[in-house]
Amino acid sequence: MGQDLTICNETLLEFERLIESGGCNPWEGQLRTGVDLGTANIVLAVVDEHDRPVAGATYPSTVVRDGIVVDYIGALNAVTKLKDELEARLGTTLEAGACAIPPGIIEGNVRVIGNVVEGAGFRLTNVVDEPTAAASVLGITDGAVVDVGGGTTGISILKDGKVIFTGDEPTGGTHMTLVLAGFHGWSIQEAELAKRDPAQESRVFPVVKPVVEKMASIVGRYLKDYPVDQIYVVGGACCFTQFEQTFEKCLGVPVIKPAAPLLVTPLGIAVNCTQ
Ligand SMILES: Nc1ncnc2c1ncn2[C@@H]1O[C@H](COP(=O)(O)OP(=O)(O)OP(=O)(O)O)[C@@H](O)[C@H]1O
Ligand SMILES: [Mg+2]
């Protein structure tokens, strides 16, 4: 049986509403912030002592490539700007902050990500790995979490609440955009916009489907060594409505996608921000 995601989905949709409306919720106890430095998006998530979403903000990223900060000053400026924006909205200072690292990243890069969070004025309380962050929002202890982001696809296998395997592969939403642009003779920007437009999914998905199948075949290779009963997909590039069924068909394992898959990891980083 897969985990019942009803409550998790309500929380994610609430967090999405907070980001879209630019509002904030009342909170109890100390606030904790999660900073997700992604290839496509930088997301800040603020939760209270009950792990309830309080506020959030996002900014398109150009400062990170596949989990590695390539523009330190740009990253610092973006995180500082988002922090200032949230503090103005909340009327208080955000102190405790956590960040996440993609699977398989080396020590030096971990320090750089931490430095961005500290440089923006947070007290860095935790550096969590992305799959652990996602798993805490999903409330799962077992199964595979596949995070299909902009630059990379992270695969993590959980057993009894522990991450027992992680892998990261250089394919993701950007790869889909390139295929779509090439197919139609579109610019990257045109392809990116069309890809994200739900109204165009019926003509977009058939073109990017081979990329999704390729992702599934990569995941399948890992599952040979670590069989699981469920696969949870998160990250922006799994937003397509046909994504789960394509994965499921290739892998023969139930595939579950939470609401607002883009926001699972960011919210999970905040949940893992200790005081
Ligand atoms: N509605 C949508 N349909 C399809 N793809 C989408 C949609 N919304 C966002 N994406 C894609 O999701 C990707 C961004 O996802 P996400 O924010 O999870 O990545 P990231 O965390 O920034 O990147 P990474 O984890 O690789 O560093 C982009 O490639 C974007 O085009
Ligand atoms: Mg990501």
Side-chain angles (χ1 to χ4, degrees):
M1 261 292 286
Q3 176 74 21
D4 179 6
L5 293 185
T6 312
I7 295 176
C8 155
N9 285 342
E10 278 171 16
T11 307
L12 285 164
L13 291 173
E14 177 60 20
F15 182 45
E16 186 176 57
R17 271 193 295 275
L18 285 167
I19 292 178
E20 278 169 8
S21 68
C24 56
N25 278 345
W27 68 90
E28 278 174 29
Q30 307 261 28
L31 292 175
R32 294 127 65 215
T33 307
V35 179
D36 187 0
L37 285 175
T39 303
N41 296 298
I42 297 178
V43 187
L44 261 63
V46 182
V47 299
D48 74 358
E49 68 176 14
H50 306 293
D51 294 340
R52 285 188 302 228
V54 174
T58 168
Y59 190 77
S61 170
T62 49
V63 298
V64 177
R65 288 280 174 278
D66 309 344
I68 293 163
V69 177
V70 292
D71 174 4
Y72 181 78
I73 301 295
L76 199 59
N77 287 343
V79 174
T80 307
K81 180 182 159 289
L82 291 173
K83 181 174 183 274
D84 288 348
E85 201 177 299
L86 287 170
E87 289 178 339
R89 205 182 293 170
L90 295 161
T92 186
T93 320
L94 295 169
E95 280 158 19
C99 57
I101 47 163
I105 194 170
I106 62 165
E107 190 55 40
N109 294 319
V110 177
R111 254 195 324 274
V112 176
I113 295 174
N115 287 347
V116 170
V117 175
E118 285 187 325
F122 286 106
R123 175 166 47 84
L124 183 68
T125 67
N126 198 5
V127 180
V128 64
D129 63 290
E130 287 181 353
T132 304
S136 28
V137 170
L138 299 168
I140 58 165
T141 54
D142 296 271
V145 178
V146 180
D147 184 345
V148 197
T152 60
T153 294
I155 302 123
S156 321
I157 315 284
L158 288 111
K159 195 172 185 326
D160 302 326
K162 291 227 154 28
V163 179
I164 57 163
F165 171 81
T166 62
D168 210 30
E169 295 287 340
T171 180
T174 308
H175 189 177
M176 295 172 176
T177 304
L178 289 173
V179 169
L180 194 61
F183 183 85
H184 287 293
W186 291 342
S187 71
I188 301 294
Q189 263 145 323
E190 279 173 313
E192 179 67 26
L193 287 176
K195 186 187 75 173
R196 292 198 208 179
D197 178 6
Q200 299 197 50
E201 181 167 337
S202 58
R203 68 176 184 143
V204 164
F205 195 75
V207 180
V208 302
K209 195 175 174 186
V211 180
V212 179
E213 287 166 344
K214 173 81 179 162
M215 288 167 175
S217 82
I218 292 171
V219 172
R221 279 210 294 276
Y222 290 119
L223 296 187
K224 280 210 181 79
D225 294 330
Y226 300 95
V228 295
D229 297 329
Q230 269 92 37
I231 298 169
Y232 297 84
V233 287
V234 302
C238 73
C239 284
F240 301 102
T241 57
Q242 295 170 68
F243 192 97
E244 304 94 287
Q245 72 201 52
T246 306
F247 246 52
E248 219 163 80
K249 214 164 152 199
C250 297
L251 294 166
V253 178
V255 176
I256 303 163
K257 181 169 72 181
L262 265 160
L263 299 177
V264 177
T265 303
L267 191 63
I269 303 171
V271 166
N272 282 280
C273 177
T274 44
Q275 277 298 338

